């Protein structure tokens, strides 16, 4: 009886083991994005991906590249996926999100992000949570960031000025744009770390946008390794809520 049970368990496991990839190459943006991606590399996202690899049994290889290239190489199957990707409908052409009932499965999210508006102190630009007022030149953003779509939907002229958040803030300080839309954790920390910027710029209004971020996988990877793709996404949910992970990232999650 014991041998029969062992054989049944083995047969049930074989389909999962058969499609296991030798490794999973995941691309992350090569710019610091506190607290998600930090030099080293380290930070919330890197720590999560490393723990996901350990718990899922997958050999995860992380590579740092410009965000635009990460997305392009996932679409071209050069890398197996990207990390820390917000849901943008247009990205469905590039790769695969964890989905449920035709929508991104927020239970499989890595994290939730918010974007905020930063403007010159005593500036005229305002955001009431649904629309802008006194918008003249436009709002500066980082290249290809997911906030671009919501800003345009709200009627804003979007200026993709740099891949670096600090450069974007300095362009606002120089008057190139009326304000900047940045990830809140990063924008707040940049003001704290740069007294010159903090003396001239401020965060205003409610958040511009709030959304979950995911690990996206290439279409080829999901087609070739469907069980392991699902295992990876399932493990993200487990790691995110684990005491071990929360303790590891606690120092980075304090407000600036």
């Amino acid at each position: 009886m014991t041998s029969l049970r062992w054989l049944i368990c083995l047969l049930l496991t074989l389909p999962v083991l058969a499609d296991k990839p030798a490794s999973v190459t995941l691309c992350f943006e090569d710019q610091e994005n506190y607290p998600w991606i930090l030099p080293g590399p380290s930070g919330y996202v890197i720590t999560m991906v490393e723990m996901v690899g350990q718990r899922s049994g997958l050999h995860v290889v992380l590579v740092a590249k410009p965000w635009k290239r990460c997305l392009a190489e996932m679409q071209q199957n050069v890398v197996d996926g990207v990390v820390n990707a917000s849901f943008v409908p247009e990205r469905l052409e590039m790769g695969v999100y964890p989905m449920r009932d035709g929508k991104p499965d927020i239970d499989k999210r890595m994290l939730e992000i918010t974007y905020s508006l930063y403007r010159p102190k005593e500036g005229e630009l305002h955001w009431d949570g649904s629309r802008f007022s006194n918008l003249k030149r436009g709002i500066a953003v980082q290249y290809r960031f997911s906030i671009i779509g919501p800003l345009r939907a709200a009627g804003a002229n979007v200026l993709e000025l740099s891949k670096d958040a600090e450069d974007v803030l300095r362009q606002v300080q120089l008057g190139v744009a009326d304000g900047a839309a940045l990830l809140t954790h990063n924008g707040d920390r940049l003001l704290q770390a740069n007294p010159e910027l903090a003396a001239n710029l401020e965060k205003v209004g409610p958040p511009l946008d709030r959304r979950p971020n995911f690990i996206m996988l290439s279409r080829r990877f999901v087609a070739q390794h469907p069980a392991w793709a699902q295992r990876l996404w399932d493990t993200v949910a487990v790691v995110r809520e684990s005491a071990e992970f929360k303790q590891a990232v606690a120092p980075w999650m304090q407000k600036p």
Side-chain angles (χ1 to χ4, degrees):
M1 188 66 174
T2 302
S3 298
L4 179 59
R5 287 179 178 174
W6 178 86
L7 180 59
I8 291 172
C9 290
L10 177 62
L11 291 173
L12 290 173
T13 306
L14 281 175
V16 175
L17 295 178
D19 77 333
K20 184 177 181 180
S23 63
V24 184
T25 301
L26 299 177
C27 192
F28 66 96
E29 188 186 17
D30 61 355
Q31 292 291 310
E32 180 177 350
N33 179 4
Y34 187 92
W36 314 121
I37 297 173
L38 301 175
S42 64
Y44 180 106
V45 166
I46 304 301
T47 301
M48 174 177 281
V49 173
E50 289 175 345
M51 287 190 179
V52 166
Q54 293 166 2
R55 291 204 180 195
S56 66
L58 288 163
H59 175 54
V60 177
V61 178
L62 285 164
V63 294
K65 300 182 182 184
W67 183 237
K68 185 176 180 179
R69 187 181 303 172
C70 281
L71 292 171
E73 291 193 357
M74 174 180 63
Q75 186 172 13
Q76 297 160 5
N77 298 307
V78 176
V79 299
D80 297 313
V82 300
V83 303
N84 202 26
S86 299
F87 178 73
V88 178
E90 291 75 14
R91 289 180 184 168
L92 290 171
E93 299 178 0
M94 302 177 178
V96 184
Y97 292 93
M99 304 291 283
R100 183 175 61 188
D101 299 328
K103 298 179 181 179
D105 186 351
I106 61 171
D107 288 342
K108 306 300 191 297
R109 70 191 184 279
M110 299 185 74
L111 53 102
E112 185 177 71
I113 60 168
T114 62
Y115 283 89
S116 292
L117 179 65
Y118 300 84
R119 69 167 192 194
K121 288 186 175 179
E122 301 181 1
E124 297 180 350
L125 175 63
H126 291 279
W127 166 251
D128 65 6
S130 60
R131 63 186 182 89
F132 296 98
S133 57
N134 299 315
L135 181 60
K136 299 173 183 177
R137 290 175 293 276
I139 298 177
V141 300
Q142 292 164 266
Y143 296 141
R144 297 295 294 271
F145 269 42
S146 62
I147 189 61
I148 293 171
L151 289 176
R152 287 177 174 159
N157 177 37
V158 178
L159 306 173
E160 295 183 66
L161 297 181
S162 174
K163 67 178 183 179
D164 182 77
E166 184 174 339
D167 287 346
V168 170
L169 285 178
R170 294 197 180 279
Q171 293 295 318
V172 174
Q173 186 179 27
L174 292 171
V176 175
D178 299 304
L182 297 178
L183 289 164
T184 305
H185 273 94
N186 206 20
D188 288 356
R189 188 166 187 273
L190 285 170
L191 291 187
Q192 181 193 49
N194 294 274
E196 175 197 354
L197 290 174
N200 294 283
L201 303 176
E202 62 183 352
K203 181 174 71 175
V204 294
L208 293 165
D209 193 32
R210 183 185 302 274
R211 60 180 60 202
N213 276 18
F214 303 91
I215 292 179
M216 286 187 72
L217 295 172
S218 70
R219 293 189 176 279
R220 184 174 69 183
F221 183 88
V222 174
Q224 292 180 346
H225 312 287
W228 286 92
Q230 191 59 53
R231 179 179 291 197
L232 186 150
W233 286 323
D234 290 345
T235 308
V236 168
V238 173
V239 168
R240 189 190 66 241
E241 298 303 323
S242 69
E244 179 187 6
F245 174 71
K246 290 179 179 179
Q247 182 178 2
V249 301
W252 298 315
M253 301 310 293
Q254 304 297 321
K255 291 186 177 180

